[in-house]
Amino acid sequence: MMLSSPLKKLSLQQQLRLMTGLSLLGMLAVIMFVMINLSQLRQEFRSFQALQTIDKSLIEIKATALEVSRADPILEASGVQLKQADADIAESLLRAGKLMTDADAQAKLKEMSENWAAYSKGFSGAMKIALESPEDALQIPDAMYDMYVVPMVQQIDALVLANKSLEKD
């Protein structure tokens, strides 16, 4: 009742202006709330999208490395396959590296890159040896696989698992 008496003293035009002003303030508050929430949603989406791109890159690296690890060093086509794999893995490592912000993950990517470079060099050596001693050349990729590809795959799996836990947050 106390509020109604001061409002009765206002003219109809003043009451309408007051109601319009209060409505505008309410709408501005809602607009600000929506803008803040939309900004947060966009940031979360960008973060999620980056994690998805990192996961995709890591899985591509893993698939390419495992595919090449089963190649036959005696075949000439293996050289072309290895060169293509080198390019694909380098591109995927670069893409993932640009999106990763964690120093530990960056270090793991560097180690993966070094492992792949060592494997690629060893596989190239096996292809050269295959020209003179095919039997010896067949054993090299398996040894290189255990030394370089297996740890690389384990690191990839660990990074993908870590990304999944981030995605849930």
Side-chain angles (χ1 to χ4, degrees), residues 91-105:
E91 180 184 330
S92 294
L93 284 168
L94 184 65
R95 187 179 337 122
K98 286 180 180 177
L99 296 172
M100 285 185 172
T101 56
D102 182 33
D104 186 43

Side-chain angles (χ1 to χ4, degrees), residues 2-153:
M2 294 186 107
L3 286 178
S4 63
S5 64
L7 286 178
K8 285 185 180 181
K9 292 181 181 177
L10 297 175
S11 69
L12 184 58
Q13 184 177 14
Q14 289 174 330
Q15 288 178 5
L16 288 173
R17 284 185 182 160
L18 180 63
M19 296 291 281
T20 303
L22 290 174
S23 296
L24 285 174
L25 284 175
M27 284 192 277
L28 285 174
V30 168
I31 289 171
M32 292 300 293
F33 178 74
V34 168
M35 287 176 57
I36 290 169
N37 282 336
L38 184 59
S39 175
Q40 288 174 343
L41 183 63
R42 283 183 180 158
Q43 181 59 33
E44 287 176 18
F45 179 74
R46 279 190 217 111
S47 175
F48 181 76
Q49 194 173 26
L51 288 174
Q52 290 297 310
T53 302
I54 291 168
D55 284 349
K56 180 182 177 217
S57 297
L58 292 172
I59 291 168
E60 286 174 356
I61 292 167
K62 181 178 176 179
T64 303
L66 290 175
E67 179 184 4
V68 170
S69 72
R70 297 296 130 214
D72 189 345
I74 297 173
L75 300 175
E76 288 181 33
S78 296
V80 174
Q81 185 181 10
L82 182 62
K83 285 181 184 177
Q84 184 62 46
D86 284 342
D88 292 345
I89 288 176
E91 180 184 330
S92 294
L93 284 168
L94 184 65
R95 187 179 337 122
K98 286 180 180 177
L99 296 172
M100 285 185 172
T101 56
D102 182 33
D104 186 43
Q106 288 281 350
K108 286 182 181 180
L109 277 182
K110 184 177 183 209
E111 191 175 337
M112 276 188 260
S113 178
E114 291 167 357
N115 280 346
W116 177 253
Y119 179 81
S120 180
K121 184 178 178 182
F123 195 88
S124 293
M127 290 182 348
K128 290 176 185 171
I129 292 171
L131 298 173
E132 297 171 12
S133 177
E135 294 169 4
D136 293 335
L138 290 173
Q139 294 174 3
I140 294 172
D142 289 334
M144 301 296 286
Y145 175 83
D146 291 335
M147 287 174 37
Y148 299 111
V149 177
V150 169
M152 189 171 114
V153 167

